[in-house]
Amino acid sequence: MLLSGCSATPEPPKVIVKTVTEKLTVPEHLARDCLLPDIPAEGSTNDPLTEYMVRMETALKDCNTDKKAIRQWQSQPPPTP
């Protein structure tokens, strides 16, 4: 005696892929304007001008440090969900 029956192959589960685009922005503390030192008063001696140049150089170094941090932040892989 043979037994036969109706059988159907179940369909494989459907996989839904959803792509989410997330815009990342530069951290606020790295995007702030660099502050400039006050310009010495007109007619100042060389001492205030020398101090001004030292403060300008420090401001430039601080600004470049922020830009370097931005480049490092950008080179990091995106966070995984």
Side-chain angles (χ1 to χ4, degrees):
M1 179 192 285
L2 292 172
L3 294 175
S4 63
C6 295
S7 68
T9 306
E11 290 186 31
K14 293 182 181 181
V15 177
I16 299 173
V17 177
K18 183 179 179 182
T19 303
V20 177
T21 303
E22 192 175 324
K23 182 179 178 181
L24 300 176
T25 58
V26 175
E28 190 273 329
H29 71 279
L30 296 177
R32 287 186 201 133
D33 289 341
C34 297
L35 300 176
L36 295 176
D38 294 331
I39 299 173
E42 192 173 323
S44 296
T45 62
N46 285 342
D47 288 339
L49 292 174
T50 303
E51 290 173 19
Y52 172 72
M53 291 307 298
V54 169
R55 290 193 311 269
M56 272 298 253
E57 185 177 13
T58 301
L60 178 61
K61 286 179 182 178
D62 290 345
C63 197
N64 284 334
T65 300
D66 286 350
K67 303 315 165 249
K68 181 179 178 181
I70 290 171
R71 289 190 299 273
Q72 289 172 342
W73 176 81
Q74 287 177 328
S75 67
Q76 293 176 353
T80 55

